[in-house]
Amino acid sequence: RDLHSFPTRRSSDLIKITGHNKEIKIAEFSKTDDKILATYSFDNNIKIWNFEELFTICNISLSNKTNITAILVYKNHVFYFDI
């Protein structure tokens, strides 16, 4: 699926990225590197993106029973919360 109308931190431009098979539920920029974006989708995947060049750095596949409610990207770590 596409992630539409997503504003960047550095400009008012909107971009579109593709890669998930279902709708995006959560999108969160890294707290330490504004080029890194994490997305979680209803396809039960977390994708880590190089937001500047729009490519996937990493994909984390989760169980179908997972219900992620928050993502935190800090330095070289991805934290996700299933509450």
Side-chain angles (χ1 to χ4, degrees):
R1 301 276 289 185
D2 296 338
L3 175 61
H4 296 280
S5 303
F6 200 81
T8 67
R9 288 183 177 178
R10 294 182 293 267
S11 73
S12 60
D13 295 340
L14 300 178
I15 66 151
K16 177 170 62 170
I17 59 176
T18 60
H20 285 287
N21 295 323
K22 295 186 179 179
E23 184 179 347
I24 302 286
K25 181 177 180 182
I26 300 169
E28 184 70 37
F29 279 100
S30 167
K31 301 299 182 199
T32 55
D33 185 346
D34 64 358
K35 294 180 295 216
I36 304 299
L37 173 72
T39 57
Y40 171 67
S41 168
F42 289 104
D43 64 7
N44 291 314
N45 286 289
I46 295 173
K47 292 189 180 285
I48 310 302
W49 304 85
N50 176 314
F51 192 68
E52 193 169 74
E53 298 179 28
L54 299 178
F55 68 86
T56 304
I57 297 170
C58 176
N59 184 70
I60 303 167
S61 296
L62 303 171
S63 161
N64 287 339
K65 296 179 181 179
T66 306
N67 182 27
I68 301 299
T69 56
I71 299 174
L72 172 66
V73 183
Y74 185 78
K75 296 189 178 181
N76 292 329
H77 303 282
V78 178
F79 302 92
Y80 54 93
F81 305 90
D82 179 4
I83 300 175

Coordinates of all heavy atoms in Angstrom, one line a residue:
R1 N 0.8 -1.2 0.0 CA 0.0 0.0 0.0 C 0.9 1.2 0.0 O 2.0 1.2 0.4 CB -0.9 0.0 1.2 CG -1.8 -1.2 1.4 CD -3.0 -1.0 0.6 NE -3.9 0.0 1.3 CZ -5.1 0.3 0.9 NH1 -5.6 -0.4 -0.1 NH2 -5.8 1.2 1.5
D2 N 0.3 2.3 -0.4 CA 1.0 3.6 -0.4 C 0.8 4.3 0.9 O -0.3 4.2 1.5 CB 0.5 4.5 -1.5 CG 0.8 3.8 -2.9 OD1 1.7 3.0 -3.0 OD2 0.1 4.2 -3.9
L3 N 1.8 5.1 1.3 CA 1.6 6.0 2.4 C 1.6 7.4 1.8 O 2.6 7.9 1.3 CB 2.8 5.9 3.4 CG 2.9 6.9 4.5 CD1 1.7 6.7 5.4 CD2 4.2 6.6 5.3
H4 N 0.4 8.0 1.8 CA 0.2 9.3 1.1 C 0.3 10.4 2.0 O 0.1 10.3 3.2 CB -1.2 9.3 0.4 CG -1.4 8.3 -0.6 ND1 -0.9 8.4 -1.9 CD2 -2.0 7.0 -0.6 CE1 -1.2 7.4 -2.6 NE2 -1.8 6.5 -1.9
S5 N 0.5 11.6 1.4 CA 0.4 12.9 2.1 C 1.2 12.8 3.4 O 0.7 13.2 4.5 CB -1.0 13.2 2.4 OG -1.8 13.2 1.2
F6 N 2.5 12.5 3.3 CA 3.3 12.4 4.5 C 4.3 13.5 4.5 O 5.2 13.6 3.7 CB 4.0 11.1 4.5 CG 4.5 10.7 5.9 CD1 3.6 10.1 6.8 CD2 5.8 10.9 6.2 CE1 4.1 9.7 8.0 CE2 6.3 10.6 7.5 CZ 5.4 10.0 8.4
P7 N 4.1 14.5 5.4 CA 5.0 15.7 5.4 C 6.4 15.3 6.0 O 6.5 14.5 6.9 CB 4.3 16.7 6.4 CG 3.5 15.8 7.3 CD 3.1 14.6 6.5
T8 N 7.4 15.9 5.4 CA 8.8 15.8 6.0 C 9.0 16.8 7.1 O 8.3 17.7 7.2 CB 9.8 15.9 4.9 OG1 9.8 17.3 4.5 CG2 9.6 15.0 3.7
R9 N 10.0 16.5 7.9 CA 10.4 17.5 8.9 C 11.0 18.7 8.4 O 11.0 19.8 9.0 CB 11.3 16.8 9.9 CG 10.7 15.8 10.8 CD 11.7 15.3 11.8 NE 11.0 14.3 12.7 CZ 11.7 13.7 13.6 NH1 13.0 13.9 13.8 NH2 11.0 12.9 14.4
R10 N 11.7 18.6 7.3 CA 12.5 19.7 6.7 C 11.8 20.6 5.7 O 12.3 21.6 5.3 CB 13.8 19.1 6.1 CG 14.7 18.5 7.2 CD 15.9 18.0 6.5 NE 15.7 16.9 5.6 CZ 15.8 15.6 6.0 NH1 16.0 15.3 7.2 NH2 15.6 14.7 5.1
S11 N 10.6 20.2 5.3 CA 9.9 21.0 4.3 C 8.4 20.7 4.4 O 8.0 19.9 5.1 CB 10.5 20.6 2.9 OG 10.0 19.4 2.5
S12 N 7.7 21.5 3.6 CA 6.3 21.3 3.5 C 5.9 20.4 2.4 O 4.7 20.2 2.2 CB 5.6 22.7 3.4 OG 6.0 23.2 2.2
D13 N 6.9 19.8 1.7 CA 6.6 18.9 0.6 C 6.0 17.6 1.1 O 6.3 17.1 2.2 CB 7.9 18.5 -0.2 CG 8.5 19.7 -0.9 OD1 7.8 20.7 -1.1 OD2 9.7 19.6 -1.2
L14 N 5.1 17.0 0.4 CA 4.5 15.7 0.7 C 5.1 14.7 -0.2 O 5.4 14.9 -1.4 CB 3.0 15.8 0.5 CG 2.2 16.8 1.4 CD1 0.7 16.8 1.0 CD2 2.4 16.6 2.8
I15 N 5.3 13.5 0.4 CA 5.9 12.4 -0.5 C 5.0 11.2 -0.4 O 4.1 11.1 0.5 CB 7.3 12.0 0.0 CG1 7.3 11.5 1.4 CG2 8.2 13.2 -0.1 CD1 8.4 10.5 1.6
K16 N 5.3 10.2 -1.2 CA 4.6 8.9 -1.1 C 5.6 7.8 -1.2 O 6.5 7.8 -2.0 CB 3.7 8.8 -2.3 CG 2.9 7.5 -2.4 CD 1.9 7.4 -3.5 CE 2.3 7.6 -4.9 NZ 1.3 7.4 -5.9
I17 N 5.5 6.8 -0.2 CA 6.4 5.7 -0.2 C 5.5 4.4 -0.4 O 4.3 4.4 0.0 CB 7.2 5.6 1.0 CG1 6.4 5.5 2.3 CG2 8.2 6.8 1.1 CD1 7.2 5.3 3.6
T18 N 6.1 3.4 -0.9 CA 5.3 2.1 -1.1 C 6.1 1.0 -0.5 O 7.4 1.1 -0.4 CB 5.1 1.8 -2.6 OG1 6.3 1.7 -3.2 CG2 4.2 2.9 -3.2
G19 N 5.5 -0.1 -0.1 CA 6.2 -1.2 0.4 C 5.3 -2.1 1.3 O 5.6 -3.3 1.3
H20 N 4.3 -1.6 2.0 CA 3.5 -2.5 2.8 C 2.3 -3.0 1.9 O 1.9 -2.4 0.9 CB 2.9 -1.7 3.9 CG 3.8 -1.4 5.0 ND1 4.2 -2.4 5.9 CD2 4.4 -0.3 5.4 CE1 5.1 -1.9 6.8 NE2 5.2 -0.6 6.5
N21 N 1.8 -4.2 2.3 CA 0.7 -4.8 1.6 C -0.7 -4.3 2.1 O -1.7 -4.6 1.4 CB 0.7 -6.3 1.7 CG 2.0 -6.8 1.0 OD1 2.4 -6.3 0.0 ND2 2.6 -7.8 1.6
K22 N -0.7 -3.7 3.3 CA -2.0 -3.2 3.8 C -1.7 -1.8 4.4 O -0.6 -1.3 4.3 CB -2.5 -4.1 4.9 CG -2.9 -5.5 4.5 CD -3.5 -6.3 5.6 CE -4.0 -7.6 5.0 NZ -4.6 -8.4 6.1
E23 N -2.8 -1.2 4.9 CA -2.7 0.2 5.3 C -1.7 0.4 6.5 O -1.6 -0.4 7.3 CB -4.1 0.6 5.8 CG -4.3 2.0 6.3 CD -5.7 2.3 6.7 OE1 -6.6 1.5 6.5 OE2 -5.9 3.4 7.3
I24 N -1.1 1.6 6.5 CA -0.1 1.9 7.5 C -0.9 2.3 8.8 O -1.9 3.1 8.7 CB 0.7 3.1 7.1 CG1 1.5 2.8 5.8 CG2 1.6 3.6 8.2 CD1 2.7 1.9 5.9
K25 N -0.5 1.8 9.9 CA -1.1 2.1 11.2 C -0.3 3.1 12.0 O -0.9 4.0 12.6 CB -1.3 0.8 12.0 CG -2.0 1.0 13.3 CD -2.2 -0.3 14.1 CE -2.8 -0.1 15.4 NZ -3.0 -1.4 16.1
I26 N 1.0 3.0 12.0 CA 1.9 3.9 12.7 C 3.1 4.3 11.9 O 3.6 3.4 11.2 CB 2.4 3.2 14.0 CG1 1.3 2.7 14.9 CG2 3.4 4.1 14.8 CD1 1.7 1.8 16.0
A27 N 3.5 5.5 11.9 CA 4.7 6.0 11.3 C 5.4 6.9 12.3 O 4.8 7.8 12.9 CB 4.4 6.8 10.0
E28 N 6.7 6.6 12.5 CA 7.4 7.4 13.5 C 8.9 7.6 13.1 O 9.5 6.7 12.6 CB 7.5 6.6 14.8 CG 8.1 7.2 16.0 CD 7.3 8.4 16.5 OE1 6.1 8.3 16.6 OE2 7.9 9.4 16.9
F29 N 9.3 8.9 13.1 CA 10.7 9.2 12.8 C 11.6 8.8 14.0 O 11.2 8.8 15.2 CB 10.9 10.7 12.6 CG 10.5 11.1 11.2 CD1 9.3 11.7 11.0 CD2 11.4 11.0 10.2 CE1 8.9 12.1 9.7 CE2 11.0 11.4 8.9 CZ 9.8 11.9 8.7
S30 N 12.9 8.5 13.7 CA 13.9 8.2 14.7 C 14.1 9.4 15.6 O 14.0 10.6 15.1 CB 15.2 7.8 14.0 OG 16.3 7.9 14.9
K31 N 14.3 9.2 16.8 CA 14.6 10.3 17.8 C 16.0 10.8 17.6 O 16.3 11.9 18.1 CB 14.4 9.8 19.2 CG 13.0 9.3 19.5 CD 11.9 10.4 19.3 CE 10.5 9.8 19.6 NZ 9.5 10.6 19.0
T32 N 16.9 10.1 16.9 CA 18.3 10.5 16.8 C 18.7 10.7 15.4 O 19.8 11.3 15.2 CB 19.2 9.5 17.5 OG1 18.9 8.2 16.9 CG2 18.9 9.4 19.0
D33 N 17.9 10.4 14.4 CA 18.3 10.6 13.0 C 17.1 10.8 12.1 O 16.3 9.9 11.9 CB 19.0 9.3 12.5 CG 19.6 9.5 11.1 OD1 19.2 10.4 10.4 OD2 20.4 8.6 10.7
D34 N 16.8 12.0 11.7 CA 15.6 12.4 11.0 C 15.5 11.8 9.6 O 14.5 12.0 8.9 CB 15.3 13.9 11.1 CG 16.3 14.7 10.3 OD1 17.3 14.1 9.8 OD2 16.1 15.9 10.3
K35 N 16.5 11.1 9.2 CA 16.4 10.4 7.9 C 15.8 9.0 8.0 O 15.6 8.3 7.0 CB 17.8 10.3 7.2 CG 18.5 11.6 6.8 CD 19.8 11.4 6.3 CE 20.7 10.8 7.3 NZ 22.1 11.2 7.4
I36 N 15.6 8.5 9.3 CA 15.1 7.2 9.5 C 13.7 7.2 9.9 O 13.3 8.0 10.9 CB 16.0 6.5 10.6 CG1 17.5 6.4 10.2 CG2 15.4 5.1 10.9 CD1 17.8 5.7 8.9
L37 N 12.8 6.5 9.2 CA 11.4 6.4 9.5 C 11.0 4.9 9.7 O 11.5 4.1 9.0 CB 10.6 7.0 8.3 CG 9.1 6.8 8.4 CD1 8.5 7.8 9.4 CD2 8.5 7.1 7.0
A38 N 10.2 4.7 10.8 CA 9.7 3.3 11.0 C 8.2 3.4 10.7 O 7.5 4.3 11.1 CB 9.9 2.9 12.4
T39 N 7.7 2.4 10.0 CA 6.2 2.2 9.8 C 5.8 0.9 10.2 O 6.5 -0.1 10.1 CB 5.9 2.5 8.3 OG1 6.6 1.5 7.5 CG2 6.2 3.9 7.9
Y40 N 4.6 0.8 10.7 CA 3.9 -0.5 11.1 C 2.6 -0.5 10.3 O 1.8 0.5 10.3 CB 3.7 -0.6 12.6 CG 2.8 -1.8 13.0 CD1 3.3 -3.1 12.8 CD2 1.6 -1.6 13.5 CE1 2.5 -4.2 13.1 CE2 0.8 -2.7 13.8 CZ 1.2 -4.0 13.6 OH 0.5 -5.0 13.9
S41 N 2.3 -1.6 9.7 CA 1.1 -1.8 8.9 C 0.2 -2.9 9.4 O 0.7 -3.8 10.2 CB 1.6 -2.1 7.5 OG 0.5 -2.5 6.7
F42 N -1.0 -2.9 9.0 CA -1.9 -4.0 9.3 C -1.5 -5.3 8.6 O -2.1 -6.4 8.8 CB -3.3 -3.6 8.9 CG -4.0 -2.6 9.8 CD1 -4.1 -1.3 9.3 CD2 -4.4 -2.9 11.0 CE1 -4.6 -0.3 10.1 CE2 -4.9 -2.0 11.9 CZ -5.1 -0.7 11.4
D43 N -0.4 -5.3 7.8 CA 0.2 -6.5 7.2 C 1.1 -7.2 8.2 O 1.8 -8.2 7.9 CB 0.9 -6.3 5.9 CG 2.1 -5.4 6.0 OD1 2.5 -5.0 7.1 OD2 2.6 -5.0 4.9
N44 N 1.2 -6.6 9.5 CA 2.0 -7.1 10.6 C 3.5 -7.1 10.3 O 4.3 -7.9 10.7 CB 1.6 -8.6 11.0 CG 0.3 -8.6 11.6 OD1 0.0 -7.8 12.5 ND2 -0.6 -9.5 11.2
N45 N 3.9 -6.0 9.6 CA 5.4 -5.8 9.3 C 5.7 -4.4 9.8 O 5.0 -3.5 9.6 CB 5.7 -5.9 7.8 CG 5.7 -7.3 7.3 OD1 6.6 -8.1 7.7 ND2 4.6 -7.7 6.6
I46 N 6.9 -4.3 10.4 CA 7.5 -3.0 10.7 C 8.6 -2.8 9.7 O 9.4 -3.7 9.4 CB 8.2 -3.0 12.1 CG1 7.1 -3.2 13.2 CG2 9.0 -1.7 12.3 CD1 7.7 -3.3 14.6
K47 N 8.6 -1.7 9.0 CA 9.6 -1.4 8.0 C 10.4 -0.2 8.5 O 9.8 0.8 9.0 CB 9.0 -1.1 6.6 CG 8.4 -2.4 6.0 CD 8.0 -2.1 4.6 CE 7.4 -3.4 3.9 NZ 8.4 -4.4 3.6
I48 N 11.7 -0.3 8.4 CA 12.6 0.8 8.7 C 13.1 1.4 7.4 O 13.6 0.7 6.5 CB 13.8 0.4 9.6 CG1 13.3 -0.4 10.8 CG2 14.6 1.6 10.0 CD1 12.3 0.3 11.7
W49 N 12.9 2.7 7.2 CA 13.2 3.3 5.9 C 14.3 4.4 6.0 O 14.4 5.0 7.1 CB 11.9 4.1 5.4 CG 10.7 3.3 5.3 CD1 9.8 3.0 6.3 CD2 10.2 2.7 4.1 NE1 8.8 2.3 5.8 CE2 9.0 2.1 4.4 CE3 10.6 2.7 2.8 CZ2 8.2 1.4 3.5 CZ3 9.9 2.0 1.9 CH2 8.7 1.4 2.2
N50 N 15.1 4.5 5.0 CA 15.9 5.6 4.8 C 15.0 6.6 4.1 O 14.7 6.5 2.9 CB 17.1 5.3 3.9 CG 18.0 6.6 3.7 OD1 17.4 7.6 3.3 ND2 19.3 6.4 3.8
F51 N 14.5 7.6 4.9 CA 13.5 8.5 4.4 C 14.0 9.5 3.4 O 13.3 9.9 2.5 CB 12.9 9.3 5.6 CG 11.6 10.0 5.3 CD1 10.5 9.3 5.0 CD2 11.6 11.4 5.3 CE1 9.3 10.0 4.7 CE2 10.5 12.1 5.0 CZ 9.3 11.4 4.7
E52 N 15.3 9.8 3.4 CA 15.9 10.7 2.5 C 16.0 10.1 1.1 O 15.7 10.8 0.1 CB 17.3 11.1 3.0 CG 17.9 12.3 2.3 CD 19.1 12.8 3.0 OE1 20.2 12.1 2.9 OE2 19.0 13.8 3.7
E53 N 16.3 8.8 1.0 CA 16.5 8.2 -0.3 C 15.3 7.2 -0.6 O 15.3 6.6 -1.7 CB 17.8 7.5 -0.4 CG 19.0 8.4 -0.2 CD 20.3 7.8 -0.3 OE1 20.4 6.7 -0.9 OE2 21.2 8.3 0.3
L54 N 14.4 7.0 0.3 CA 13.2 6.2 0.1 C 13.4 4.8 -0.2 O 12.9 4.2 -1.2 CB 12.2 6.9 -0.9 CG 11.8 8.3 -0.6 CD1 10.9 8.9 -1.7 CD2 11.0 8.3 0.7
F55 N 14.2 4.1 0.6 CA 14.4 2.7 0.4 C 14.3 2.0 1.8 O 14.5 2.7 2.8 CB 15.7 2.3 -0.3 CG 16.9 2.6 0.5 CD1 17.4 1.7 1.4 CD2 17.6 3.8 0.3 CE1 18.6 1.9 2.1 CE2 18.8 4.1 1.0 CZ 19.3 3.1 1.9
T56 N 13.9 0.7 1.8 CA 13.7 0.0 3.1 C 15.1 -0.5 3.5 O 15.8 -1.2 2.8 CB 12.8 -1.2 2.9 OG1 11.6 -0.7 2.3 CG2 12.5 -1.9 4.2
I57 N 15.4 -0.2 4.8 CA 16.7 -0.6 5.4 C 16.4 -2.0 6.0 O 17.3 -2.9 6.0 CB 17.1 0.3 6.5 CG1 17.4 1.7 5.9 CG2 18.3 -0.2 7.3 CD1 17.6 2.8 6.9
C58 N 15.3 -2.2 6.6 CA 15.0 -3.5 7.4 C 13.5 -3.7 7.4 O 12.7 -2.8 7.4 CB 15.5 -3.2 8.8 SG 15.2 -4.6 9.9
N59 N 13.2 -5.0 7.4 CA 11.8 -5.4 7.6 C 11.7 -6.4 8.7 O 12.4 -7.4 8.8 CB 11.3 -6.1 6.3 CG 9.8 -6.4 6.4 OD1 9.0 -5.6 6.4 ND2 9.5 -7.7 6.5
I60 N 10.8 -6.2 9.6 CA 10.5 -7.0 10.8 C 9.1 -7.6 10.7 O 8.1 -6.9 10.7 CB 10.7 -6.3 12.1 CG1 12.0 -5.6 12.2 CG2 10.4 -7.2 13.3 CD1 12.1 -4.6 13.3
S61 N 9.0 -8.9 10.4 CA 7.8 -9.6 10.3 C 7.3 -10.1 11.7 O 8.1 -10.7 12.4 CB 7.9 -10.8 9.4 OG 8.2 -10.4 8.1
L62 N 6.1 -9.8 12.0 CA 5.5 -10.1 13.4 C 4.4 -11.1 13.2 O 3.8 -11.3 12.2 CB 5.1 -8.8 14.1 CG 6.1 -7.7 14.2 CD1 5.4 -6.5 14.7 CD2 7.2 -8.2 15.2
S63 N 4.1 -11.7 14.3 CA 3.0 -12.7 14.4 C 1.6 -12.0 14.1 O 1.5 -10.8 14.3 CB 2.9 -13.2 15.8 OG 1.6 -13.8 16.1
N64 N 0.7 -12.7 13.5 CA -0.6 -12.2 13.2 C -1.4 -11.8 14.4 O -2.3 -11.0 14.3 CB -1.5 -13.2 12.4 CG -1.0 -13.4 11.0 OD1 -0.3 -12.5 10.4 ND2 -1.3 -14.5 10.4
K65 N -1.0 -12.2 15.6 CA -1.7 -11.9 16.8 C -1.1 -10.6 17.5 O -1.6 -10.2 18.5 CB -1.5 -13.0 17.8 CG -2.2 -14.3 17.4 CD -2.1 -15.4 18.4 CE -2.8 -16.7 17.8 NZ -2.6 -17.8 18.8
T66 N -0.1 -10.0 16.9 CA 0.5 -8.8 17.4 C -0.3 -7.6 17.1 O -0.9 -7.5 16.0 CB 1.9 -8.6 16.8 OG1 2.7 -9.8 17.0 CG2 2.7 -7.5 17.4
N67 N -0.4 -6.7 18.1 CA -1.2 -5.5 17.9 C -0.3 -4.3 18.4 O -0.4 -3.9 19.5 CB -2.5 -5.5 18.7 CG -3.3 -4.2 18.4 OD1 -3.2 -3.6 17.4 ND2 -4.1 -3.9 19.4
I68 N 0.6 -3.9 17.6 CA 1.5 -2.8 17.9 C 0.8 -1.5 18.2 O -0.1 -1.1 17.4 CB 2.6 -2.6 16.8 CG1 3.4 -3.9 16.6 CG2 3.6 -1.5 17.2 CD1 4.1 -4.4 17.8
T69 N 1.1 -0.9 19.3 CA 0.5 0.4 19.6 C 1.4 1.6 19.5 O 1.0 2.7 19.5 CB -0.2 0.3 21.0 OG1 0.9 0.0 21.9 CG2 -1.3 -0.7 21.1
A70 N 2.8 1.3 19.5 CA 3.8 2.4 19.4 C 5.1 1.8 18.9 O 5.4 0.6 19.2 CB 3.9 3.0 20.8
I71 N 5.8 2.7 18.3 CA 7.2 2.3 17.8 C 8.1 3.4 18.2 O 7.8 4.6 18.2 CB 7.3 2.2 16.3 CG1 6.3 1.1 15.7 CG2 8.7 1.9 15.8 CD1 6.3 1.1 14.2
L72 N 9.3 3.1 18.7 CA 10.4 4.0 19.0 C 11.6 3.6 18.3 O 12.1 2.5 18.4 CB 10.6 4.1 20.5 CG 11.7 5.0 21.0 CD1 11.5 6.4 20.7 CD2 12.0 4.7 22.5
V73 N 12.2 4.5 17.5 CA 13.5 4.2 16.9 C 14.5 5.2 17.6 O 14.4 6.4 17.5 CB 13.5 4.5 15.4 CG1 14.8 4.2 14.8 CG2 12.4 3.8 14.7
Y74 N 15.5 4.5 18.2 CA 16.5 5.3 19.0 C 17.9 4.7 18.7 O 18.1 3.6 18.9 CB 16.2 5.3 20.5 CG 17.1 6.1 21.3 CD1 16.9 7.5 21.3 CD2 18.2 5.6 22.0 CE1 17.8 8.3 22.1 CE2 19.0 6.4 22.7 CZ 18.8 7.7 22.7 OH 19.7 8.5 23.5
K75 N 18.7 5.5 18.1 CA 20.1 5.1 17.6 C 19.9 3.9 16.7 O 19.2 4.0 15.7 CB 21.0 4.9 18.8 CG 21.2 6.2 19.6 CD 22.3 6.0 20.6 CE 22.5 7.4 21.3 NZ 23.5 7.3 22.3
N76 N 20.5 2.8 17.0 CA 20.4 1.6 16.1 C 19.4 0.6 16.6 O 19.6 -0.6 16.3 CB 21.8 1.0 16.0 CG 22.8 1.8 15.2 OD1 22.3 2.6 14.3 ND2 24.0 1.8 15.5
H77 N 18.4 1.0 17.4 CA 17.5 0.1 18.0 C 16.1 0.5 17.6 O 15.7 1.6 17.5 CB 17.6 0.1 19.5 CG 19.0 -0.2 20.0 ND1 19.5 -1.5 20.1 CD2 20.0 0.6 20.5 CE1 20.7 -1.5 20.5 NE2 21.0 -0.2 20.8
V78 N 15.2 -0.6 17.5 CA 13.8 -0.4 17.2 C 13.1 -1.0 18.4 O 13.3 -2.2 18.7 CB 13.4 -1.1 15.9 CG1 11.9 -0.9 15.7 CG2 14.1 -0.5 14.7
F79 N 12.3 -0.2 19.1 CA 11.4 -0.7 20.1 C 10.0 -0.7 19.7 O 9.5 0.3 19.1 CB 11.6 0.2 21.4 CG 13.0 0.2 21.9 CD1 13.8 1.3 21.4 CD2 13.5 -0.7 22.8 CE1 15.2 1.4 21.9 CE2 14.8 -0.6 23.2 CZ 15.6 0.4 22.8
Y80 N 9.3 -1.8 19.9 CA 7.8 -1.7 19.6 C 7.1 -2.3 20.7 O 7.5 -3.1 21.5 CB 7.5 -2.5 18.2 CG 8.0 -3.9 18.2 CD1 7.2 -4.9 18.5 CD2 9.3 -4.2 17.7 CE1 7.6 -6.2 18.4 CE2 9.7 -5.5 17.6 CZ 8.9 -6.5 18.0 OH 9.3 -7.8 17.9
F81 N 5.9 -1.8 20.9 CA 5.1 -2.0 22.1 C 3.7 -2.7 21.7 O 3.0 -2.1 20.8 CB 4.8 -0.7 22.9 CG 6.1 -0.1 23.2 CD1 6.7 0.9 22.4 CD2 6.8 -0.4 24.4 CE1 7.9 1.5 22.7 CE2 8.0 0.2 24.7 CZ 8.6 1.1 23.9
D82 N 3.4 -3.8 22.3 CA 2.2 -4.5 22.0 C 1.5 -4.5 23.4 O 1.7 -5.3 24.3 CB 2.5 -6.0 21.6 CG 1.3 -6.8 21.4 OD1 0.2 -6.3 21.5 OD2 1.5 -8.0 21.1
I83 N 0.6 -3.6 23.5 CA -0.1 -3.4 24.8 C -1.5 -3.9 24.7 O -2.2 -3.7 23.8 CB -0.1 -1.9 25.2 CG1 1.3 -1.5 25.3 CG2 -0.9 -1.7 26.5 CD1 1.5 0.0 25.6

